[in-house]
Amino acid sequence: MTGDLQPASAGPTDAELATEAAMTAAYERQVADHQRSSLVAAANAGDAVAELLRFHMEGAVCNWPFGDAEPVGKLAEALLRTARIESEVLECQPSAAEHRTSLGQLAAACVKFLDETSAGAPVDMPGQFDDIPEKELPY
């Protein structure tokens, strides 16, 4: 009977703890990236709304319907960022695969629009907004 006893577990190994710490750090970086991107998306959407309200109150600017804010481009970038965040967060949900495919198509259409209207400027480069000071973030 004494051969059936198993030794008590000594707890997680150093390798397991290191792996868990690395996964936690990666998750925290992803959350921070999503928060930064959502802040930029909200700012772009806010700029677009402000310009649309200005247009409602004042009308067209010379021969152009909108001023410098370019509301369609601002909304497209906000939509692109939002779709990417939602798609990444839903990666672990197997039932959301079809929705993620639709988000991917929407994001691709936004990228195409932004590429065509940006006169060669790169669209949404990773790390582009990493320099937002922590004090300006809403968390």
Side-chain angles (χ1 to χ4, degrees):
M1 280 280 200
T2 58
D4 293 343
L5 297 175
Q6 297 291 327
S9 175
T13 65
D14 288 344
E16 291 171 333
L17 290 173
T19 301
E20 184 177 335
M23 290 173 54
T24 300
Y27 173 77
E28 288 173 357
R29 276 192 306 277
Q30 183 182 40
V31 168
D33 289 347
H34 288 166
Q35 288 173 324
R36 289 173 192 265
S37 191
S38 67
L39 181 62
V40 173
N44 282 333
D47 289 348
V49 168
E51 180 57 20
L52 291 168
L53 291 171
R54 187 219 49 84
F55 177 79
H56 171 73
M57 300 296 291
E58 300 171 10
V61 177
C62 296
N63 293 331
W64 295 96
F66 304 111
D68 293 336
E70 302 176 22
V72 174
K74 297 278 187 177
L75 289 171
E77 185 174 348
L79 189 57
L80 170 62
R81 289 177 174 278
T82 305
R84 285 180 174 171
I85 291 168
E86 187 172 347
S87 181
E88 287 177 16
V89 171
L90 291 175
E91 279 181 354
C92 62
Q93 299 291 333
S95 63
E98 188 174 322
H99 182 65
R100 288 188 65 237
T101 299
S102 297
L103 288 170
Q105 292 169 346
L106 179 61
C110 290
V111 167
K112 182 177 186 297
F113 173 81
L114 291 167
D115 281 344
E116 290 174 356
T117 60
S118 67
V123 174
D124 196 37
M125 293 186 57
Q128 182 178 9
F129 296 98
D130 287 346
D131 59 345
I132 298 173
E134 289 293 322
K135 64 183 180 188
E136 292 182 21
L137 297 173
Y139 56 91

